[in-house]
Amino acid sequence: MAEVIAVLSRKGGVGKTLTTMYAASLLAGRGQDVAVLDKDPEGSAGAWARAAGNLPFPVYPEGKQAQALKHAVVIVDTPPNDPKALGDAARLARRVVVVAKCNALEADRLIPTLDALAASGFAGQWGILLTQARGGLGREMKAALEEEDLPVYGIIPHLIKFERAFGTLPDDLDEYAEALKAVLA
């Protein structure tokens, strides 16, 4: 049975697809049999794969879930604003990455995602990945979340390379390798 990692957030534009594609690239680079399952009706991961041309891992649309689950590891990219899809992905997963953009508003927006995760009945390993961090805000937000006993996997800085990554094979993976080491071990 596949090891499933779900990438979740009720908020759009926080970096779920970016995180999914970087995580898949990291695992493929380690020689693992990995696939992406694109549960977003907008098909962001699928569009990324088509633009890239030749990724070292397949990207399956939601209708091909059974095929995706034949791989050793499946990373699920989820849509925003769909608690049902978020719950379905969490129930499928053994590990969950909750993605949150690094600013005060996004910290407040974490609550609906965490509520949906709890309502799903998910009982596996989970943590928050803070993205698009500028200056010391990432460290401050991480400390504030951990003070509330919320697990934080890591911090992804705001870098132009991430803004330009769509449609490419991610190859500069250091920040994601460090931030997701507990998830992808």
Side-chain angles (χ1 to χ4, degrees):
M1 180 165 206
E3 172 79 20
V4 179
I5 302 167
V7 180
L8 312 174
S9 179
R10 291 274 316 267
K11 178 87 173 60
V14 296
K16 291 184 301 289
T17 302
L18 183 77
T19 298
T20 298
M21 300 306 272
Y22 269 74
S25 294
L26 276 162
L27 292 173
R30 295 176 187 167
Q32 293 194 30
D33 174 29
V34 62
V36 168
L37 177 58
D38 189 354
K39 285 189 162 279
D40 188 342
E42 291 183 10
S44 300
W48 184 313
R50 285 187 298 280
N54 191 22
L55 294 173
F57 52 87
V59 176
Y60 295 95
E62 183 169 17
K64 305 277 185 174
Q65 179 172 308
Q67 288 173 278
L69 292 174
K70 291 178 182 176
H71 294 269
V73 181
V74 178
I75 303 176
V76 182
D77 188 27
T78 59
N81 300 317
D82 188 342
K84 182 184 179 317
L86 188 148
D88 290 346
R91 282 186 290 280
L92 188 64
R94 195 168 132 208
R95 292 178 273 174
V96 165
V97 177
V98 176
V99 181
K101 198 168 158 182
C102 218
N103 64 46
L105 175 63
E106 299 299 328
D108 185 55
R109 300 277 172 95
L110 267 174
I111 295 168
T113 301
L114 297 179
D115 288 346
L117 183 59
S120 77
F122 178 77
Q125 175 190 347
W126 71 277
I128 299 165
L129 178 67
L130 299 170
T131 61
Q132 302 177 38
R134 295 175 188 261
L137 187 57
R139 290 183 305 279
E140 292 171 22
M141 200 164 159
K142 181 178 188 283
L145 292 168
E146 288 175 338
E147 193 172 292
E148 296 297 321
D149 293 323
L150 296 172
V152 178
Y153 284 136
I155 303 166
I156 301 297
H158 181 269
L159 297 173
I160 196 73
K161 72 179 181 180
F162 297 132
E163 292 178 12
R164 295 180 177 161
F166 177 83
T168 68
L169 170 60
D171 60 357
D172 185 357
L173 305 170
D174 294 343
E175 292 85 3
Y176 274 90
E178 178 63 26
L180 294 177
K181 66 183 169 190
V183 180
L184 303 178

